């Protein structure tokens, strides 16, 4: 591997580590990362269905279904008929689910504020810009490879 290739590999390794650390924060609440993402989507989006989650998160239907079953089993969510069409089942937080989302949001908000304060606004903006540039470049590269 040449030096340039190694540097790109290192960037992706850092991103994987960052993602792992973020997952660790979530898992301290007894949920896996995907379960918490699903809970947050249910909290923020009215009349959300499993199909909506599959499309929005771009993950397999069976994976979403499995996580939803876990959340239902733990009494964090329930399914009910849609307000517009009773045949369509929407995902709704239970009282326990609402409490869990609130608890996680409060803890993550404090943690995120500490991270922001440690890094500072200038670093945060720079990181965002650099990651967006990496995304655009990677998408362009992928599209060129497909052609």
């Amino acid at each position: 591997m040449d030096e340039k290739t190694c540097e790109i590999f290192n960037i992706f390794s850092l991103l994987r580590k960052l993602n792992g650390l973020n997952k660790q924060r979530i898992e301290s609440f007894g949920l896996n990362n995907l379960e918490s993402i699903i809970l947050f989507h249910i909290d923020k989006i009215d009349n959300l269905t499993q199909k909506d989650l599959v499309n929005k998160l771009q993950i397999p239907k069976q994976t979403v279904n499995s996580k939803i079953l876990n959340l239902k089993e733990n009494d964090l969510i329930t399914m009910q008929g849609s307000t517009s069409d009773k045949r369509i089942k929407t995902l709704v937080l239970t009282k326990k689910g609402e409490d869990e989302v609130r608890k996680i949001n409060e803890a993550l908000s404090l943690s995120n504020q500490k991270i922001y304060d440690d890094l500072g606004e200038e670093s945060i903006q720079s990181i965002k810009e650099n990651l967006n540039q990496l995304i655009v470049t990677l998408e362009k590269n992928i599209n060129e490879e497909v052609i």
Side-chain angles (χ1 to χ4, degrees), residues 9 23 51 59 81 85 95 115 119 129 131 134:
F9 179 82
K23 283 181 179 180
K51 183 177 180 181
I59 54 178
D85 184 345
K95 174 68 172 131
I115 293 168
L119 290 172
E129 289 168 10
L131 287 173
L134 178 60

Side-chain angles (χ1 to χ4, degrees), residues 111-129:
S111 176
N112 289 345
Q113 186 62 51
K114 288 179 186 175
I115 293 168
Y116 192 95
D117 292 344
D118 286 348
L119 290 172
E121 186 173 346
E122 191 174 306
S123 287
I124 295 288
Q125 290 305 317
S126 178
I127 291 167
K128 283 173 43 180
E129 289 168 10

Side-chain angles (χ1 to χ4, degrees), residues 67-81:
K67 297 306 172 191
I68 285 174
L69 289 176
N70 288 346
L71 293 169
K72 283 176 62 177
E73 195 173 290
N74 290 312
D75 192 35
L76 297 171
I77 66 169
T78 188
M79 297 177 88
Q80 65 185 33

Side-chain angles (χ1 to χ4, degrees), residues 15-59:
L15 291 171
R16 276 189 292 282
K17 183 172 184 173
L18 181 64
N19 189 44
L21 289 169
N22 193 48
K23 283 181 179 180
Q24 208 174 333
R25 288 194 315 166
I26 296 296
E27 288 170 356
S28 69
F29 296 99
L31 297 169
N32 72 34
N33 197 41
L34 184 53
E35 289 169 340
S36 63
I37 289 169
I38 289 171
L39 283 179
F40 291 135
H41 277 80
I42 294 170
D43 184 48
K44 299 296 180 204
I45 302 171
D46 290 333
N47 292 313
L48 187 68
T49 66
Q50 267 186 254
K51 183 177 180 181
D52 295 334
L53 279 172
V54 167
N55 293 334
K56 186 163 186 60
L57 302 177
Q58 294 294 299
I59 54 178

Side-chain angles (χ1 to χ4, degrees), residues 5 9 14 19 32 34-35 45 61 64 85 89 99-100 107 110-111 126-127 129 135 138-140 142:
T5 303
F9 179 82
L14 289 169
N19 189 44
N32 72 34
L34 184 53
E35 289 169 340
I45 302 171
K61 181 179 179 179
V64 170
D85 184 345
K89 299 295 182 202
D99 292 343
E100 191 68 19
L110 286 172
S111 176
S126 178
I127 291 167
E129 289 168 10
I135 289 167
L138 184 58
E139 286 174 339
K140 178 181 168 210
I142 289 170

